[in-house]
Amino acid sequence: MNPVLIEVLRGSAVESRHAGALAIVDASGAVHTALGDIDRPIFPRSAVKLLQALPLVATGAAESFGLNDAELALACASHSGEPEHVATAAGVLAKLALDADALECGTQWPSRDPVLRGMVARGELATPLHNNCSGKHSGFVCVACLMARNAGAEPAEFARGYVAAEHPVMREVSASLSATTGMDVERAPRGTDGCSIPTFALPLRSLALAFARCGTGHGLSDGNARAARRLRQAAAIAPFMVGGTDRFDTRVMQAYGERVFCKIGAEGVYCAALPELGLGIALKIDDGAVRAAEAAFAAVTQALLRTEDELLHSYSHLQLRNWRGIDVGSLRPAQALNQALAP
Amino acid sequence: MNPVLIEVLRGSAVESRHAGALAIVDASGAVHTALGDIDRPIFPRSAVKLLQALPLVATGAAESFGLNDAELALACASHSGEPEHVATAAGVLAKLALDADALECGTQWPSRDPVLRGMVARGELATPLHNNCSGKHSGFVCVACLMARNAGAEPAEFARGYVAAEHPVMREVSASLSATTGMDVERAPRGTDGCSIPTFALPLRSLALAFARCGTGHGLSDGNARAARRLRQAAAIAPFMVGGTDRFDTRVMQAYGERVFCKIGAEGVYCAALPELGLGIALKIDDGAVRAAEAAFAAVTQALLRTEDELLHSYSHLQLRNWRGIDVGSLRPAQALNQALAP
């Protein structure tokens, strides 16, 4: 069993508990902090979109099709489906002379409630462009179009089925995961992600290593090192694209710029790079809770950067309010997490 | 640490785990099944709405104001804010010559998505009647109005502030919790619930005992025994009122009638009575996950009723689909739960 990382208080009593594991590792693989089982494979889900976007830059596809910072940041995003996200994804596809029909991520309504309500009020329908993964998938289609050009194939036809593990695009993505994590993902437990691409279960230790490498460039090929740097810079320039209004990842990168690259994944995963410390972070909440993943990552970042930052504190000690706006409780880091992070 | 009760599979690998505790007890307090720590106090939240509604019947308020089955079932509900729920709560208040202004539960949008979207499309706003607790609160206002009549006071004025622990209505509700659980709730850890009334942390053992008592009448005053029976019958006659379209509690009570009274509570709680077996059930998922609470309760009910029922199986082994409708995984009861429930 992993230790409790985050407690949920109601009044002064603990109402709920979130157990999990945390790995903080440097680019040589040396462990800075380990809490819980960091060698058990976990599905990183969307927390590794940075790693999955490396081929977009490393293959030259991004340069070839003239992708800008916003478009590169969106390739690493789980966005909220706001108009700027939708327009940016559509813009990438337009550069390929394609449209939303090329996306195989499925249709999802925006997670940002006022945006969804506006669409409903206007009688609009969601499209694959609103899917939180539409930027990542637009990036996959870019890679497919470059491959098609090099092979003399028709782009849309070549791209079709790009979500399958055996498609050339997804092979490139899997190779990028293997190269950065140091694990052969072909031998890892495999599942299907929310957006229909494969997701591979990997140890937190290896995921943290991959992010330490992406933050420093050490241990990566020149191409991947340059790609990681380019994508981190793009996210720092256009953090809104990585999440959206009031989203934690966006707010952290707005506040810290290139000092922090961070990304949430479904089912309670967080991965991040802190380049100035040469560290990568990977954590998984056992039960999959987003609130606990955000709180734990906020506590980790506060401790590592030795900051009393109010934004991070507002997530590590999230206030809970009821329907009348009354404070009814809060989250807090549990003892095991505080002890592991103590200087 | 409590044992894992429910596992979440992605492909064939376990992606997430939900630990928790389970108490199954008879009306004498004898333990049928105990898994995890059943003596640690937990906040039961909305899972004890049946217990909180006992004064509505036991004081004679329900009879005095002519409440029907649907209105009594709604008093035990966490409803989805559908038009029938809203109309029924408004109907209770109309019998008191009051309206939504009397409710102190706060405003909440309907949880049923198509209902919410319909309101947004028509430009309507949510009211306290849409709050999932509006039926319970309408019941509290009924009790207040009877008390006001007996005291010769103005009803709306007497009712005001009924959510406070020291208000005569809430004292009656707390007394009902104490009488059924056998615990002095005045000495229990206290929090504020989502709908602003007090919630008291009580052991699962005591909560299961209260539901065994409510299912059998044993160990209760005549008034509470009659009230519990009346409310269970009302829920069996009008199960839609306790939840709503596609809601688990509603579907179970539609299928099983008076054989099962069950109620979910926020933060992963389930309480239920199985009168034919003389048993009460109380469980809490440590991390607060609804999906796991429903799955665990479905597994428990399948085992206790020795049924292969498809409805219960569809929750204990809930299929997970992604944005394109592809099966990506499922829930399943973990070994500890299966072993505890084995015949």
Side-chain angles (χ1 to χ4, degrees):
Chain A
M1 299 287 275
N2 286 323
V4 173
L5 301 187
I6 296 294
E7 292 172 333
V8 183
L9 294 167
R10 181 162 298 266
S12 55
V14 175
E15 177 166 32
S16 297
R17 292 161 177 81
H18 297 281
L22 162 69
I24 307 176
V25 172
D26 75 16
S28 75
V31 174
H32 175 284
T33 301
L35 195 55
D37 186 350
I38 67 168
D39 292 308
R40 180 164 79 186
I42 66 109
F43 287 111
R45 312 289 301 275
S46 289
V48 291
K49 278 178 173 167
L50 173 70
L51 311 183
Q52 294 168 324
L54 292 175
L56 172 61
V57 179
T59 61
E63 192 176 10
S64 179
F65 295 108
L67 266 54
N68 59 31
D69 291 311
E71 291 162 342
L72 288 174
L74 196 73
C76 305
S78 296
H79 65 71
S80 301
E82 299 178 68
E84 301 87 332
H85 303 125
V86 171
T88 304
V92 172
L93 294 170
K95 288 179 177 178
L96 309 172
L98 293 172
D99 61 22
D101 288 345
L103 298 178
E104 300 182 359
C105 48
T107 294
Q108 180 191 12
W109 286 83
S111 60
R112 171 110 181 121
D113 191 60
V115 173
L116 182 147
R117 289 179 185 233
M119 290 176 66
V120 170
R122 293 187 299 274
E124 296 170 10
L125 292 176
T127 72
L129 292 168
H130 295 89
N131 187 305
N132 82 85
C133 297
S134 69
K136 177 178 75 171
H137 279 248
S138 298
F140 292 154
V141 177
C142 277
V143 175
C145 286
L146 182 73
M147 288 176 165
R149 184 196 289 172
N150 293 342
E154 200 282 310
E157 197 168 318
F158 184 93
R160 195 164 301 131
Y162 68 83
V163 294
E166 61 277 10
H167 189 283
V169 169
M170 214 44 62
R171 278 181 202 268
E172 198 70 31
V173 171
S174 297
S176 158
L177 287 168
S178 293
T180 51
T181 62
M183 299 292 291
D184 179 1
V185 302
E186 299 299 336
R187 301 178 64 181
R190 182 186 298 185
T192 303
D193 213 325
C195 66
S196 296
I197 70 167
T199 177
F200 302 98
L202 300 167
L204 288 170
R205 180 198 296 273
S206 308
L207 293 164
L209 172 64
F211 278 80
R213 287 172 163 177
C214 284
T216 60
H218 302 318
L220 296 182
S221 67
D222 287 352
N224 275 341
R226 273 196 301 270
R229 183 146 173 259
R230 180 76 189 89
L231 290 165
R232 287 193 296 104
Q233 286 173 336
I237 291 167
F240 178 84
M241 287 296 156
V242 180
T245 305
D246 289 343
R247 289 280 300 277
F248 182 45
D249 287 338
T250 292
R251 295 179 73 189
V252 170
M253 291 192 279
Q254 280 171 342
Y256 287 90
E258 280 190 60
R259 296 183 66 196
V260 180
F261 177 90
C262 61
K263 184 68 189 63
I264 194 155
E267 292 289 329
V269 182
Y270 240 100
C271 287
L274 299 187
E276 73 194 57
L277 301 177
L279 297 174
I281 302 164
L283 68 86
K284 157 84 180 173
I285 303 300
D286 290 349
D287 59 75
V290 170
R291 65 181 180 186
E294 291 183 341
F297 175 68
V300 167
T301 307
Q302 275 177 293
L304 291 177
L305 295 182
R306 297 170 187 268
T307 169
E308 307 270 315
D309 182 285
E310 272 187 34
L311 169 66
L312 294 172
H313 191 267
S314 72
Y315 280 87
S316 63
H317 293 77
L318 188 71
Q319 282 292 319
L320 304 175
R321 294 190 171 80
N322 76 2
W323 299 116
R324 287 170 77 190
I326 300 169
D327 274 351
V328 292
S330 64
L331 306 193
R332 74 176 178 199
Q335 194 180 18
L337 183 57
N338 283 330
Q339 283 176 349
L341 296 174
Chain B
M1 299 286 275
N2 286 322
V4 173
L5 301 187
I6 297 294
E7 292 173 333
V8 183
L9 294 166
R10 180 162 298 266
S12 55
V14 175
E15 177 166 29
S16 298
R17 292 162 178 80
H18 297 282
L22 162 70
I24 308 176
V25 172
D26 74 17
S28 75
V31 174
H32 175 283
T33 301
L35 195 55
D37 186 350
I38 67 169
D39 291 308
R40 181 165 78 188
I42 66 107
F43 286 112
R45 310 289 301 275
S46 289
V48 291
K49 278 178 174 168
L50 175 70
L51 312 183
Q52 293 167 324
L54 292 174
L56 172 61
V57 180
T59 61
E63 193 176 9
S64 179
F65 294 108
L67 265 52
N68 59 30
D69 291 311
E71 291 162 342
L72 288 174
L74 196 73
C76 306
S78 296
H79 64 71
S80 301
E82 300 178 68
E84 301 87 332
H85 303 125
V86 171
T88 303
V92 172
L93 294 170
K95 288 178 176 178
L96 310 172
L98 293 171
D99 61 22
D101 289 346
L103 297 178
E104 299 181 0
C105 48
T107 294
Q108 179 190 13
W109 285 84
S111 61
R112 172 109 180 123
D113 191 59
V115 173
L116 182 148
R117 288 177 184 234
M119 289 176 66
V120 170
R122 292 188 299 274
E124 296 169 12
L125 292 175
T127 73
L129 292 168
H130 295 89
N131 187 305
N132 82 86
C133 297
S134 69
K136 178 178 77 173
H137 279 248
S138 298
F140 292 154
V141 177
C142 278
V143 175
C145 287
L146 182 73
M147 288 176 165
R149 184 197 289 172
N150 293 341
E154 201 281 312
E157 196 168 322
F158 185 92
R160 194 165 300 131
Y162 68 83
V163 294
E166 60 277 11
H167 189 283
V169 169
M170 213 46 59
R171 278 182 202 267
E172 197 70 30
V173 171
S174 297
S176 158
L177 287 168
S178 293
T180 51
T181 61
M183 299 291 292
D184 179 0
V185 302
E186 299 299 336
R187 302 178 62 181
R190 182 186 298 186
T192 302
D193 213 326
C195 67
S196 296
I197 71 167
T199 177
F200 301 98
L202 301 166
L204 288 171
R205 180 198 295 274
S206 308
L207 293 165
L209 172 64
F211 277 81
R213 287 172 163 177
C214 285
T216 60
H218 302 317
L220 296 182
S221 67
D222 287 351
N224 275 342
R226 272 197 300 270
R229 183 145 172 261
R230 180 76 189 91
L231 289 165
R232 287 191 297 104
Q233 286 173 337
I237 291 167
F240 179 85
M241 287 297 156
V242 181
T245 306
D246 290 341
R247 288 280 300 277
F248 182 46
D249 287 338
T250 292
R251 295 179 73 188
V252 170
M253 291 192 278
Q254 280 170 340
Y256 287 90
E258 280 190 61
R259 295 183 67 197
V260 179
F261 177 90
C262 60
K263 184 70 189 64
I264 195 156
E267 292 288 328
V269 182
Y270 240 101
C271 287
L274 299 187
E276 73 194 57
L277 300 177
L279 296 174
I281 302 164
L283 68 85
K284 157 84 179 172
I285 302 300
D286 290 349
D287 59 76
V290 170
R291 65 181 180 185
E294 290 184 341
F297 175 67
V300 167
T301 307
Q302 275 177 293
L304 292 177
L305 295 182
R306 297 170 188 267
T307 168
E308 307 271 315
D309 181 287
E310 272 186 34
L311 169 66
L312 294 172
H313 191 268
S314 72
Y315 281 88
S316 63
H317 294 76
L318 188 71
Q319 282 292 319
L320 304 174
R321 294 190 171 80
N322 76 1
W323 299 116
R324 288 170 75 191
I326 300 169
D327 275 351
V328 293
S330 64
L331 306 192
R332 73 176 178 198
Q335 194 180 17
L337 183 57
N338 283 329
Q339 283 176 350
L341 296 173

